[in-house]
Amino acid sequence: GHSSLLTKTAFFPFFFTEINDSEGHPSSSHQTLKGTSKWASSLENLLEDPEGVKRFREFLKKEFSEENVLFWLACEEFKKTQGKKQMQEKAKEIYMTFLSSKASSQVNVEGQSRLNETILETPHPLMFQKLQDQIFNLMKYDSYSRFLKSDIFLNLKKSEEQEENSPEAQTAAKRASRIYNT
C-alpha cells in the first residue's frame, strides 16, 4: 500500500524537494542565498546550482578528482531514470565508468571489490545510494573545504561582491585599479 511509497521518498536527500521551489517561492531561508554564498553554505546547495557544479568540477579537475562529482551527478540522474531497461543501461554505464576495476574514472569507495555486474541485472533507484553517500562525504570533508579556499572560488566571490556595490563604487574601484596597474 501507501507505506512503501513513503519509505521510498524518505530516502531522498532533502534538497531534492527544493529544486522546483526556486520559482520565487522560497521553501526555506537558504533559497535567498545566491552564488558563492549559497555554495559556501553547504555542499548540497553547491550541487544544486549548475554554475556551482561547473566551478566545483573545474577545481576537482585540477585536483584530479573530478570523477567524484561526476559519479555523484550520475547517481542523481540515475535515481530519476524510469523503466527497467533504461535503468539497466544507466546502471551499467555508471558501473563501467566509475566502479569496475577497469573503470576509466574509478571512484574510491568502500566495498568496491565486492561489487560486480550481477547487481546490474536487478537495478533499483537507490542501488548506488550508499556509494553516493560515501562520495558525498568524501567531497564534503575533503575537496569541498579546499574548494572554498581555492582561487576559483575566492575570485568569483570577489567579483560578485564588486558587482553588488553601487556603480559609483565600481567606477572608483576601476579607477584605483587602473592607477595601481600601471
Side-chain angles (χ1 to χ4, degrees):
H2 289 299
S3 57
S4 64
L5 243 169
L6 282 173
T7 49
K8 256 199 197 97
T9 48
F11 275 104
F12 284 114
F14 64 90
F15 51 90
F16 247 85
T17 51
E18 291 190 359
I19 289 174
N20 305 327
D21 274 343
S22 55
E23 306 299 316
H25 342 279
S27 53
S28 70
S29 55
H30 78 232
Q31 286 286 342
T32 52
L33 294 172
K34 281 201 180 64
T36 51
S37 51
K38 182 176 180 181
W39 308 346
S41 59
S42 74
L43 180 53
E44 285 91 342
N45 286 342
L46 169 69
L47 293 168
E48 217 181 77
D49 183 345
E51 181 63 20
V53 168
K54 196 171 106 187
R55 301 305 184 167
F56 192 40
R57 279 179 63 176
E58 270 171 42
F59 171 72
L60 291 178
K61 224 177 238 162
K62 289 198 168 95
E63 292 213 331
F64 303 103
S65 59
E66 193 192 9
E67 68 279 354
N68 288 339
V69 74
L70 293 177
F71 173 68
W72 190 90
L73 293 165
C75 292
E76 286 299 275
E77 270 306 297
F78 176 74
K79 287 185 227 175
K80 299 177 203 146
T81 308
Q82 303 289 320
K84 190 173 176 194
K85 189 148 176 42
Q86 271 110 322
M87 277 173 83
Q88 275 175 326
E89 280 166 19
K90 206 151 193 127
K92 185 168 187 185
E93 208 177 291
I94 289 176
Y95 179 78
M96 298 315 275
T97 312
F98 302 105
L99 299 169
S100 122
S101 52
K102 302 186 278 293
S104 51
S105 315
Q106 197 178 8
V107 292
N108 190 7
V109 284
E110 258 170 73
Q112 201 140 14
S113 52
R114 293 194 297 277
L115 275 179
N116 57 43
E117 298 191 28
T118 53
I119 61 162
L120 305 178
E121 286 155 27
T122 52
H124 60 91
L126 300 174
M127 63 190 281
F128 297 118
Q129 185 70 55
K130 275 204 181 79
L131 303 179
Q132 190 187 359
D133 291 344
Q134 269 188 54
I135 288 298
F136 181 84
N137 286 330
L138 181 75
M139 292 194 294
K140 183 173 178 174
Y141 297 113
D142 185 38
S143 39
Y144 174 61
S145 50
R146 282 202 303 280
F147 171 68
L148 296 179
K149 298 184 191 95
S150 72
D151 290 347
I152 291 179
F153 179 81
L154 295 172
N155 291 339
L156 279 166
K157 188 176 174 185
K158 209 184 293 167
S159 61
E160 270 180 9
E161 281 161 7
Q162 282 168 354
E163 278 167 31
E164 277 165 24
N165 296 336
S166 63
E168 291 88 349
Q170 268 186 305
T171 46
K174 275 199 188 105
R175 269 205 303 277
S177 70
R178 222 176 275 135
I179 297 162
Y180 293 119
N181 286 340
T182 49

